Amino acid sequence: MHAREGEEVDEPVENIFWKKPPAGTYSVNVNLYKKRGTRGAAIPFRALLRRDGEDDMSKEGQVE
């Protein structure tokens, strides 16, 4: 969401959608590629997995 310096937003969102995801085992990772803006040391995140309209998993944490 923050690919360009100076275009930061207060609540960035990234989405990935599949109508029919391929079968398999998936993992969710959060990587802080480059810190942007004037936030403190830790950057909070929330990852949400929704399947068939139901919340299957929600994970919150921080990256530095």
Side-chain angles (χ1 to χ4, degrees):
M1 180 83 183
H2 288 159
R4 294 185 186 93
E5 194 73 43
E7 295 183 15
E8 297 85 10
V9 296
D10 290 336
E11 295 193 28
V13 175
E14 298 283 348
N15 294 301
I16 300 172
F17 294 96
W18 284 298
K19 288 186 177 185
K20 186 171 180 171
T25 301
Y26 293 84
S27 64
V28 177
N29 299 293
V30 177
N31 298 309
L32 181 59
Y33 176 74
K34 182 176 180 181
K35 192 172 210 176
R36 300 195 188 272
T38 58
R39 292 187 172 210
I43 308 297
F45 72 87
R46 180 174 63 136
L48 174 66
L49 173 64
R50 184 172 288 157
R51 188 171 48 179
D52 297 326
E54 302 288 328
D55 291 351
D56 287 346
M57 182 215 58
S58 180
K59 178 71 175 171
E60 295 186 25
Q62 298 180 44
V63 291
E64 294 187 39

